[in-house]
Amino acid sequence: MTEFLWELPVRGDGRHVGSVSAHRGGFDFLDQVVLAAELSGLDGVVAPYDPEGEESWVVAGSALRQTRHLRVGVEFHPAFGTPVYAAKLSATLQRLSNGRLDWRLRVETDAGDAAARGDRVTGADRYRRAAEFLTVARGVWNEEQVLPGRFGGTGFEFAGEYYDVIDGGFRGILSGLPFPRVHLSGNSAEAIELSAGHGDVHVFTETADGVDDAVASLRDAASRSGRTVRAGLALPVIARETEDEAWARVLRQWREVHPEAEDAEVRALALDDFRWPGFDRIGYTRSIGLVGSYEQVAQALADYRTRGIEIVELTGHPHIEELHRAGEHLLHLADPAGRTLAGQENHA
C-alpha cells in the first residue's frame, strides 16, 4: 500500500498562478483543506516550512485539531530552537492528537533563507547539527511512561558540538508517547547518510534522471547503519479525465505567466510521457511533476511503488478542488490494493 500525503498551502491559495483569494486564507480555509484531504482518502498532510508563509508549527497544530485520522507533518529547520524545546512542543501535540505528529527537518537551504533566520551554519555542518538535534530530541524523549515526582530529568546526558544536555528526559504527561516519525529530504549524499542514521522516511525530489539510483543509495546506506528507511517522493500533479484536458490546464496556467509562449513549446519540455519539468514556473515549489489523464498519472504513481517509493507527497492548485479530484478519480487507480474493498480483499 502506498501512503499518500498532501502539502498544505501556507501562503493561501487561488485559482490563478501567484494569486491569493481573500476567501482562501486563514484558519477556516486551512480547515477546509484538511477536511478535503481526509474526505478524499489521503493518509496525511504536511505543513511546509516557508519563510514567506504561515508558521508551520501553527498550521500543523491547527490541522491536528481539525482531524482525527490524518497524520500531520510539520517541517522546520533545526535552527528554529533547541531540540529539547522542539521535543516538548511535539510531546504536547502527540498527547493531544493521539500520536499523529510527524517531523520534517529542512536541512538543505538556500543562502537567502539562512541569512533571514540568522543561521551561520553552512555546508556539511548543517548535517552534523541535524544529527545532534535528532540525537538529543530522541534522548530526552521517553516512550515508556515515567512517573512525575522530582524536579530533575531522567538522566540523559549529552555534550556535543552544538547542544549540551544535563539530566535531561521527560516525565509525567510528557512521557509515554510515540516519538514523531522523522521525515528527511534532499538528493545529496550527505542528506541520504543523515536519513540512514536518523530518519524514518526520506523524501526525494524527482530529477530528470529519475529516482532509482537515489532509492538504491538510501537502501544501501540504511543497511550499513542496520536500519530500514522508507523512501518517499514529492510530486506536483495535474490530472484530468483525458490527457488533452490535463495539458489544457497546464497551458492555461503557463499563459498566465508566459503569455507569448506557444503550446507546442510548453509540451516539448516534457521529459517523457508524463513527467513535465515546468511546475516551478507556474507557481509550484518543485520543478518536475506528473501531467496526464487519471489513468496515466495513476499508472505513473503505481510504477513509483515498484521502484521502491512507499510514500508520495502530492500537491495541486487550487488545493481543495485538486484534493477532491485526487480522491474521486486518482488514488483508487494508483493504489487499488489499499484504496478499494475489492483490492484489499484480493491483497489479503
Side-chain angles (χ1 to χ4, degrees):
M1 176 178 173
T2 302
E3 187 173 329
F4 288 100
L5 313 178
W6 191 270
E7 184 177 274
L8 295 175
V10 294
R11 292 196 191 186
D13 195 18
R15 292 186 174 277
H16 303 285
V17 176
S19 70
V20 178
S21 168
H23 301 291
R24 288 179 174 256
F27 279 121
D28 289 343
F29 170 67
L30 286 170
D31 288 348
Q32 291 178 50
V33 176
V34 171
L35 287 174
E38 188 160 68
L39 290 170
S40 298
L42 274 291
D43 299 290
V45 294
V46 177
Y49 170 82
D50 185 338
E52 298 181 23
E54 307 289 3
E55 171 53 51
S56 58
W57 283 95
V58 177
V59 172
S62 176
L64 285 167
R65 177 66 181 86
Q66 189 60 32
T67 174
R68 294 185 178 182
H69 305 290
L70 294 179
R71 298 197 66 85
V72 177
V74 56
E75 183 178 45
F76 61 96
H77 279 284
F80 102 104
T82 70
V84 177
Y85 177 61
K88 186 174 188 298
L89 281 177
S90 299
T92 297
L93 290 172
Q94 287 292 65
R95 186 171 65 85
L96 297 178
S97 69
N98 196 27
R100 291 183 289 113
L101 180 71
D102 292 342
W103 277 6
R104 168 79 67 80
L105 260 66
R106 175 93 165 264
V107 182
E108 293 184 335
T109 186
D110 57 56
D113 180 22
R117 293 181 294 103
D119 184 5
R120 299 181 181 180
V121 179
T122 59
D125 293 342
R126 294 188 187 282
Y127 292 95
R128 293 202 304 274
R129 180 179 62 188
E132 282 195 13
F133 186 99
L134 290 168
T135 299
V136 170
R138 290 186 188 275
V140 299
W141 193 286
N142 286 310
E143 294 197 273
E144 298 296 326
Q145 184 74 44
V146 179
L147 296 177
R150 65 187 186 92
F151 292 106
T154 57
F156 175 72
E157 306 278 343
F158 187 86
E161 184 178 357
Y162 300 97
Y163 305 105
D164 294 287
V165 180
I166 298 174
D167 192 21
F170 295 158
R171 293 174 169 272
I173 62 172
L174 297 179
S175 65
L177 302 162
F179 192 80
R181 290 193 313 182
V182 176
H183 294 232
L184 296 165
S185 60
N187 289 19
S188 69
E190 294 89 347
I192 290 174
E193 286 297 328
L194 178 65
S195 278
H198 298 274
D200 300 306
V201 178
H202 189 93
V203 181
F204 293 102
T205 299
E206 180 64 287
T207 69
D209 295 329
V211 297
D212 293 2
D213 290 344
V215 171
S217 295
L218 175 66
R219 286 176 172 170
D220 289 344
S223 178
R224 291 195 301 272
S225 297
R227 304 181 70 248
T228 299
V229 181
R230 301 173 72 191
L233 184 66
L235 281 172
V237 168
I238 294 177
R240 294 294 187 271
E241 289 287 348
T242 68
E243 183 179 1
D244 287 343
E245 288 180 32
W247 279 107
R249 174 63 177 166
V250 172
L251 294 170
R252 283 196 299 273
Q253 291 187 309
W254 187 271
R255 289 195 193 101
E256 292 176 9
V257 185
H258 313 281
E260 305 302 322
E262 298 291 334
D263 291 0
E265 174 187 346
V266 177
R267 293 196 66 163
L269 295 173
L271 299 172
D272 48 40
D273 291 341
F274 314 124
R275 293 188 307 154
W276 184 67
F279 278 93
D280 58 336
R281 300 174 67 181
I282 56 171
Y284 293 79
T285 58
R286 295 175 179 87
S287 173
I288 300 176
L290 302 178
V291 178
S293 70
Y294 294 122
E295 290 79 7
Q296 290 170 330
V297 171
Q299 184 58 57
L301 292 172
D303 288 345
Y304 280 121
R305 173 70 189 191
T306 65
R307 291 150 61 188
I309 299 296
E310 299 179 61
I311 298 175
V312 179
E313 182 184 309
L314 302 172
T315 190
H317 301 160
H319 285 259
I320 293 174
E321 292 83 347
E322 295 302 317
L323 270 166
H324 284 303
R325 282 193 177 96
E328 184 175 355
H329 301 291
L330 186 61
L331 298 187
H332 69 283
L333 295 175
D335 184 29
R339 308 287 157 177
T340 66
L341 289 176
Q344 291 174 12
E345 290 171 358
N346 292 335
H347 191 64

